[in-house]
Amino acid sequence: MAPMKGLTVFIADLRKCRSHEEEERRVNKELANIRTKFKEAGLTSYNRKKYVCKLVYMSLLGYNVQFGHKEAVDLASSAKYSEKQIGYLAVTLLLPEDSGYMRGVLAALRRDINGGDDVSVCVALAAVSNVATREIAEALTEEILGQLLSPSASTFVKKKAALCLLRLLRRFPDATNAHVWAERVIPYMGHRDAGVTLAVTSLATALAQQYPDAMRKAAAFAVRRLKSLVLDNECPADYVYYTVAAPWLQVKLLRLLQYFPAPESPELRTLLLRILRHIIDVGQDAPRELQQMNAQYSILFEAIGLGIHLDIDQALMHESAALLGRFITSRETNVRYLGLETMAHLAAYIDSLEPLKKFQGVITQALRDRDVSVRRRALDLLYSMCDVDNAKPVVNELLRHMGAADLALREEMALKVAILTEKYATEYAWYIDVMMRLVALAGEHLGDEVWHRIVQVILGNEELQLYACTIALQALRAPVCHESAFKVSSYVLGEFGHLIANAPDSAPIDQLKALQSKMPSVSLPARAVALTTVAKFTNLFPEIKNACLRVLDRHRGALDAELQQRACEYYALATVESDVLLSTVFEEMPPFAERQSALVSRLLKQEGDTEDQRTWVPGGRDINRERRAQQTGETPVEAEADGKDKELAPDDPADPVEEPSIAESRRHYARLLWESDGILYDGDEVQVGLMAQYKPPAGRVGVFLGNKAAGAIYDISIHAFAKDSDSKDAPLSITESPGQSALPASLLPLAQARIYFDVTCHHVFSTPPTLRISYTQAGAPTVLELQLPITCVHFMAPVTIAVSDFFARWKQLGEAGLGEAQSVLKTPFLEERAGEWLRGVVGGMGFALIQGADPVPDNIVAVGIAT
């Protein structure tokens, strides 16, 4: 583009302005002149381009130049290249996406892409990439794809078209219909021109992240192209960079392969391993020149990352660990950074962390590196390589370093310390000590999730509660108590302060005084937690109730609305003459339901993806196994039974997880197998009772729902259904009994609703039917799914026969070839009660006892007929 003297003078005038007012006067003068010129009929092409360029410059300075949008679109629609170039530049910088002139721009773009020469096509493709509105993406994707797939298009146009599709795909993935044409671009990864291959590989990488099944064939193309570059050394001279063949293309191909599993073909898998080993072998030789080192190491780190992702050769991974150990001690900051990051990736896949633990001292030293990005990668690596064996030294080192850590890094470090401490704690005292020290060191940089999680863990582990109360009281008596530590201490004493009430210097009045001493210095939310603790003290310790009431009374006039409301409500509850009400409202909190830690969820949110999605996250094998299972929809592989990666929880997480409501009713379910009535489920909000009567082959089951909650429950629904009940050949059918009243719309506290079901057994079934109960309490919907204690034996008719008839019938069954089956069971009772228990079970499950059939009194003989 030739220089424009008028534009140069205008820019120089603006730079000479000494104030904003002077600049504004000069801009307004020029805008008035441009408006006048645009109205003239004989405006030359040069002047039109010059004035549009001036408008672009003024727009960059923040001035409104909306009147020039039409001129920019006219220039873009021109047949002259010089005008078209300025027009597309102005359209890119001036027009908003919702401009009414976009239709004119779309028409110009379509015309140039379909009918222009190579230069016009490339200018239009560049404009599409920069403007990239949804309307353009929907309208021009097919035309741009046609340029990429056209056999007559030049290599330069093909490169531009591939990059333009990449831009549209990233901006509007749903508007490009990429799933339709994704597979068609794969063959161009083998194009003779390395530039086209490079552009198409970038496009294929983005497509592979969204449509992995459609792009599966791209893996084979990538392996073969890598073979020609790495093993065969076939590369155009223009793409050889400091003796390295097309390093940018090698990096992109290696990264593309990380979005696919290991090749199923043995030939491709062997070839890929040869390529990786060759890259690693060459990378062990230190390059002399900086440019060659950058190119060679970029390929090497991507190759190691691919080898880690494929996870098909543990020997290669151990060799990579030794090589990375050399890189993390390099003098080059970039090499140390990449070494630490790749080693963290390795920790997410390698079977044993022992090869990495050799470098734990070096990694710990990297926490003190001058570069903050290196310190962050060292933190990620320590977090990923931690297990039950080295958890204590790693956590202690992180705590020692936390005081000197950057403010930007301290929050992430605190989160990871909290997660590691919970995950690998083998001693309850160590867990409490570390967490209280953590909130004291980094409390200002922690969200509420940390102290919430500490409380959840303490509530779920009875062994922790006594020691936690002792440490909580010590924290309140310390000269300085951080606010998060104050919240934890207040909550723990409010729930379990009675456990230490008889210890020296831990009497109820001592706990209350310690709490009061810190209340004036903490924030309003922390004071609100303390008021709840004081209110709980009125129930836990009646001897200090008057002292607690005085504390609540002082806060009834607080200026803060939350504090005032809490104090008034707690005072009113504590002064009501009803011990039952007070003990009910302030009873001990139940353990929290097991779910993913909020700390892990928050940490994962901080791991933001770039334009290319990450294939792993820091945190070791377990978290990456779960992440891959979520992405693929598969069940994650069970952790090895070595106890290394178990979280501190009351139950063994390796045990199979059962539906909570069914697990809650399991002990009642077993008893109802031989008893006709009783409780099936006893929860905090509702109680479910059952009454059954059977007359083979049918029966009637009554379900009773009682409200145990403090408020009414609404939207009540009770349904029972059997497996495959919709099938004509269903072995069991369940329907609501006719002629009964409908369920009430609501159920008040202590009230009860009932419903009856008719059950018919058609033939043998193995899966018990399901009872589904749904209701809403306090605005929260709840669904319970319970197994009904209905089995085949409930539809057997007891038959009483003489002893002689019994043995004759038994002999007939044996001669008929019906066979005999036996099973040895262990009773849950003592031996002297086993006979009594078995008689009750057998009689309750549809059999008639035959007395005197066996000479041994403890042996039981019973008869039943399946109808």
Side-chain angles (χ1 to χ4, degrees), residues 83-134:
E83 294 184 357
K84 190 186 301 293
Q85 184 186 28
I86 299 295
Y88 280 136
L89 172 65
V91 164
T92 300
L93 297 174
L94 297 182
L95 265 66
E97 291 187 6
D98 56 351
S99 173
Y101 293 107
M102 274 299 173
R103 292 186 179 275
V105 176
L106 177 59
L109 290 171
R110 178 179 278 115
R111 184 167 56 251
D112 289 334
I113 291 174
N114 291 330
D117 54 11
D118 285 356
V119 176
S120 298
V121 172
C122 289
V123 170
L125 291 174
V128 169
S129 300
N130 288 317
V131 177
T133 65
R134 176 175 290 275

Side-chain angles (χ1 to χ4, degrees), residues 403-476:
D406 302 271
L407 296 179
L409 195 60
R410 199 171 297 176
E411 179 185 0
E412 181 182 348
M413 186 178 293
L415 279 175
K416 290 180 176 177
V417 167
I419 294 170
L420 293 178
T421 306
E422 178 185 343
K423 189 174 184 181
Y424 298 116
T426 56
E427 302 171 8
Y428 295 116
W430 181 74
Y431 172 79
I432 294 295
D433 292 340
V434 169
M435 296 307 291
M436 295 302 286
R437 184 181 171 191
L438 175 65
V439 295
L441 285 173
E444 296 177 358
H445 306 278
L446 297 175
D448 288 339
E449 295 94 339
V450 174
W451 82 267
H452 288 172
R453 186 59 183 173
I454 297 173
V455 168
Q456 290 175 15
V457 174
I458 293 173
L459 286 176
N461 292 269
E462 293 184 6
E463 297 84 351
L464 278 174
Q465 293 163 6
L466 177 61
Y467 185 75
C469 288
T470 304
I471 297 301
L473 188 56
Q474 292 177 6
L476 291 177

Side-chain angles (χ1 to χ4, degrees), residues 509-562:
I509 190 63
D510 296 328
Q511 298 182 33
L512 180 61
K513 288 180 179 179
L515 190 66
Q516 283 184 276
S517 66
K518 293 294 187 294
M519 284 180 66
S521 60
V522 297
S523 66
L524 294 176
R527 222 175 297 174
V529 177
L531 282 182
T532 303
T533 300
V534 173
K536 290 212 167 194
F537 279 174
T538 62
N539 178 51
L540 283 176
F541 310 120
E543 63 269 27
I544 62 168
K545 183 173 182 179
N546 291 332
C548 294
L549 288 176
R550 287 195 295 270
V551 176
L552 294 174
D553 186 52
R554 284 199 301 270
H555 286 82
R556 288 201 293 173
L559 296 178
D560 182 71
E562 175 67 19

Side-chain angles (χ1 to χ4, degrees), residues 176-237:
T176 57
N177 292 324
H179 62 282
V180 177
W181 50 264
E183 196 172 355
R184 298 169 62 188
V185 305
I186 295 177
Y188 287 84
M189 291 176 59
H191 197 275
R192 64 182 182 279
D193 185 85
V196 174
T197 304
L198 185 63
V200 173
T201 302
S202 299
L203 175 61
T205 302
L207 290 169
Q209 296 168 46
Q210 299 185 29
Y211 311 104
D213 293 335
M215 297 297 295
R216 194 170 295 276
K217 294 180 181 178
F221 279 86
V223 173
R224 295 190 183 97
R225 194 62 191 248
L226 277 172
K227 175 181 177 295
S228 65
L229 292 171
V230 176
L231 301 181
D232 301 337
N233 203 24
E234 297 177 358
C235 179

Side-chain angles (χ1 to χ4, degrees), residues 2 5 153 213 250 299 358 411 474 500 542 634 670 857:
K5 185 177 180 181
D213 293 335
Q250 288 192 50
I299 298 171
K358 298 176 183 178
E411 179 185 0
Q474 292 177 6
I500 60 171
E634 299 174 354

